Amino acid sequence: MADIPDDLHYSKDHEWIRVEGDTGTVGITDHAQNQLGDIVYVELPRVGDSLEAGGVFGQVESVKAANDLYSPVSGEVTELNETLNDDPEQVNKDPYGAAWMLRLRLKDAGEVDKLMNAAEYEDYTKKITE
Amino acid sequence: MTTAPTPLKQTPLNAAHRRLGARMVDFGGWDMPVQYPAGTVEEHLRTRRHCGLFDVSHMGEIEVRGTDAIPFVNRLCSNDVTKLANGQAHYTALTTPEGTVVDDLLVYRFAEDHLLLVVNASTTEKDWDWINAHRGDETVKLANRSADFCQIAVQGPDALAILQTLTETPLSEIKYYHFREGAVDGVPAIISRTGYTGEDGFEVYAAPERAEQLWNRILEAGGHGTTEGILSCGLAARNTLRLESAMALYGHEIDETTTLYEANLGWICKLNKGDFTGRERLAQQKAEGVKQKLVGFEVTDRGIARDGYPVLINGEPLGRVTSGSPAPFLKKNIGLAYVPVEHANEGQEIHIEVRGRPVAARIVPVPFYKRERKTSQ
């Protein structure tokens, strides 16, 4: 069973966001990394880029395929996890910790309320894997 | 997940894959394992270093019997079937009158009047129709035997030793691209020294109702579950293994728009064997030279080339990637691509357009990976 921490918010595209004040930290879920398989490449935006909720902010590539990364909320990128350039496999090993992808300054805190909580995301992943 | 209009076809090993925790995908209408919990990289490496086990029961089998079996197949395919001895197989192509490829396949010769064509899963029906539509006055009896066989590939340097524990057939006596009829774990089987991984290994054909028995017994014999034992492998590893070995995949490197010479398959194009479908056009192309050619490339910049990405030469989009992937054993990002023949030279600098961004790459010799061959093969 995929790990789904209680303190995060989740998007239908399988990204998570941890909100601290007006800063959000974004990554992909355990379910997502498990579905993708061995991650070999992560492509991130630039600091200062403006992201739209639901917009593509980068790519995560497994051996098999390239997959879009979607921003769960809107905001400006303030920090990137550069260690993923050399160690993309962190996404498989620690998707909620070492493999955070970027931090952004939230544009509209209200967008977070539209995301799923852990229980809702668990139901959601169960439904789509049936 | 999307709902398919028709139910997916299953191999006799479907339940076995699910028990092993495989992630299943729709592969050309077949419900197939793309990878198991070990993951594609480990499956790939295990096959290179020890042994991988693959369910390839989705492949099609078409039987050709009759006194004219050989001349009939020789007329439809590009390689020379008359050169096969009993117990021997070869790689060939069903060609169109334009010299392009209906399908690539293996032809097994059991007897002068008995051949078996092993074709791609997604093209089995097309091939069956094509072969039937191109019957002439030869005396042949055709049968689509696809449902009568399971096919299990045991591949890698330990494949022979593992399989040998289950059969009395002396496997080391079977030469590369030869086969014998025997038994594996008491199950009547065709044991063929062939594969699609670039490793030594065998493909075992048997009755589908014995597939699970064979699969489980081979896993057991190979020490499945141990770090250096046999590992079940999905289609993703099958693809990366064949790509490192630069073997063509139908629908990618070859299809009805690419000719054998463009795809570097001139070696299965026997122009002097007598007439066959597409011979005239192929002879013409051989004389005049091809305009585009399949080449191997290595990405030298950060980025991964994928199927369908444009190839830029001096900034111009002049080619396309047919297969691109990280290569787990070589630890490089590699691919195959069609480029204009004047640029198809080793060392040529090219760019792959990755999501709008040109990524540097270089044309390199193929195969990217070549195993060290032992003397017995």
Side-chain angles (χ1 to χ4, degrees):
Chain A
M1 196 59 237
D3 182 22
I4 305 175
D6 281 335
D7 59 331
L8 306 178
H9 302 273
Y10 299 90
S11 75
K12 288 185 172 174
D13 303 308
H14 306 285
E15 278 81 20
W16 56 263
I17 182 166
R18 176 180 290 117
V19 178
E20 290 154 305
D22 68 346
T23 299
T25 304
V26 174
I28 69 167
T29 66
D30 189 38
H31 171 83
Q33 71 76 19
N34 194 36
Q35 289 291 308
L36 293 168
D38 305 300
I39 303 300
V40 293
Y41 185 78
V42 179
E43 192 173 283
L44 296 174
R46 291 194 195 90
V47 170
D49 282 0
S50 286
L51 307 184
E52 294 283 327
V56 174
F57 74 76
Q59 298 282 324
V60 59
E61 300 203 35
S62 66
V63 173
K64 186 85 187 129
N67 303 273
D68 289 332
L69 292 165
Y70 299 93
S71 185
V73 298
S74 308
E76 186 189 314
V77 178
T78 56
E79 198 180 340
L80 298 171
N81 183 357
E82 309 272 3
T83 68
L84 296 179
N85 287 341
D86 293 328
D87 290 315
E89 63 272 23
Q90 290 178 103
V91 178
N92 293 119
K93 290 177 191 153
D94 191 9
Y96 299 112
W100 66 276
M101 291 178 173
L102 58 81
R103 295 207 165 91
L104 48 71
R105 192 174 299 115
L106 303 180
K107 192 175 164 191
D108 173 6
E111 285 178 351
V112 175
D113 299 331
K114 294 176 191 159
L115 299 170
M116 290 176 272
N117 64 29
E120 289 163 340
Y121 181 67
E122 191 178 345
D123 284 347
Y124 175 71
T125 55
K126 269 185 196 155
K127 251 177 239 159
I128 56 173
T129 47
E130 265 165 18
Chain B
M1 301 283 130
T2 52
T3 30
T6 49
L8 295 179
K9 286 179 262 190
Q10 295 189 352
T11 76
L13 292 167
N14 195 276
H17 300 317
R18 291 174 183 277
R19 272 199 298 278
L20 287 166
R23 191 147 61 74
M24 307 296 286
V25 295
D26 176 354
F27 178 76
W30 288 82
D31 189 40
M32 295 298 288
V34 66
Q35 62 169 44
Y36 297 84
T40 302
V41 171
E42 180 58 25
E43 292 168 21
H44 181 117
L45 296 177
R46 196 73 67 87
T47 303
R48 288 267 179 264
R49 291 172 183 153
H50 298 285
C51 192
L53 189 66
F54 303 75
D55 175 18
V56 284
S57 304
H58 58 314
M59 302 290 282
E61 289 87 9
I62 295 170
E63 191 178 76
V64 185
R65 283 185 185 264
T67 47
D68 293 332
I70 288 171
F72 175 68
V73 172
N74 223 22
R75 186 168 60 77
L76 295 190
C77 293
S78 60
N79 208 337
D80 188 354
V81 197
T82 66
K83 292 286 194 286
L84 286 181
N86 291 343
Q88 192 178 8
H90 72 194
Y91 179 66
T92 185
L94 272 170
T95 38
T96 69
E98 289 74 42
T100 65
V101 186
V102 178
D103 199 10
D104 62 336
L105 63 151
L106 295 188
V107 176
Y108 287 81
R109 175 174 157 155
F110 289 82
E112 195 174 0
D113 59 355
H114 180 194
L115 302 174
L116 189 70
L117 318 182
V118 178
V119 302
N120 282 299
S122 59
T123 48
T124 303
E125 282 172 40
K126 181 182 81 163
D127 295 353
W128 174 246
D129 292 344
W130 176 273
I131 292 166
N132 276 285
H134 291 81
R135 288 182 71 146
D137 51 12
E138 295 103 339
T139 305
V140 286
K141 199 168 163 237
L142 303 174
N144 186 345
R145 300 279 316 276
S146 300
D148 301 335
F149 292 99
C150 71
Q151 190 188 342
I152 296 172
V154 194
Q155 300 282 302
D158 297 346
L160 189 149
I162 291 168
L163 196 60
Q164 190 65 78
T165 64
L166 297 172
T167 181
E168 286 173 9
T169 302
L171 297 179
S172 60
E173 288 179 12
I174 306 177
K175 290 187 205 141
Y176 194 48
Y177 269 79
H178 285 69
F179 66 97
R180 289 212 190 160
E181 293 172 271
V184 177
D185 195 38
V187 178
I190 301 162
I191 307 168
S192 166
R193 198 162 194 171
T194 47
Y196 195 49
T197 59
E199 294 303 323
D200 186 19
F202 296 85
E203 292 174 305
V204 178
Y205 300 79
E209 52 272 21
R210 309 298 289 274
E212 268 213 44
Q213 176 191 343
L214 286 175
W215 178 264
N216 291 331
R217 290 286 286 147
I218 296 170
L219 284 179
E220 213 176 286
H224 189 251
T226 61
T227 53
E228 298 192 345
I230 195 171
L231 190 61
S232 56
C233 299
L235 291 178
R238 182 168 157 87
N239 186 53
T240 51
L241 287 159
R242 72 93 195 166
L243 181 59
E244 278 186 347
S245 309
M247 291 190 245
L249 173 60
Y250 194 80
H252 292 252
E253 284 68 42
I254 45 176
D255 59 23
E256 291 186 23
T257 70
T258 55
T259 73
L260 291 174
Y261 285 113
E262 292 169 344
N264 288 328
L265 294 175
W267 65 278
I268 59 163
C269 205
K270 302 293 159 63
L271 296 176
N272 297 324
K273 71 171 184 170
D275 200 24
F276 64 94
T277 312
R279 181 186 171 278
E280 207 173 314
R281 289 292 294 274
L282 287 163
Q284 188 189 352
Q285 192 168 52
K286 192 183 184 193
E288 292 173 358
V290 294
K291 291 194 173 67
Q292 62 166 1
K293 198 165 173 292
L294 190 69
V295 294
F297 66 85
E298 210 176 277
V299 178
T300 51
D301 198 355
R302 252 176 74 77
I304 300 167
R306 301 285 183 183
D307 309 8
Y309 286 5
V311 175
L312 310 175
I313 296 164
N314 303 323
E316 292 289 311
L318 297 178
R320 70 184 163 92
V321 175
T322 54
S323 295
S325 171
F329 185 80
L330 300 172
K331 293 189 166 56
K332 289 172 180 173
N333 296 320
I334 60 170
L336 296 167
Y338 277 107
V339 297
V341 69
E342 60 271 28
H343 300 292
N345 306 310
E346 283 167 26
Q348 166 81 45
E349 304 285 340
I350 61 175
H351 286 85
I352 310 298
E353 194 181 308
V354 179
R355 296 179 289 274
R357 181 173 61 95
V359 171
R362 182 186 309 122
I363 295 177
V364 297
V366 287
F368 305 98
Y369 167 84
K370 203 166 197 288
R371 78 186 151 101
E372 288 173 34
R373 287 181 191 238
K374 292 173 195 156
T375 46
S376 66
Q377 290 153 35

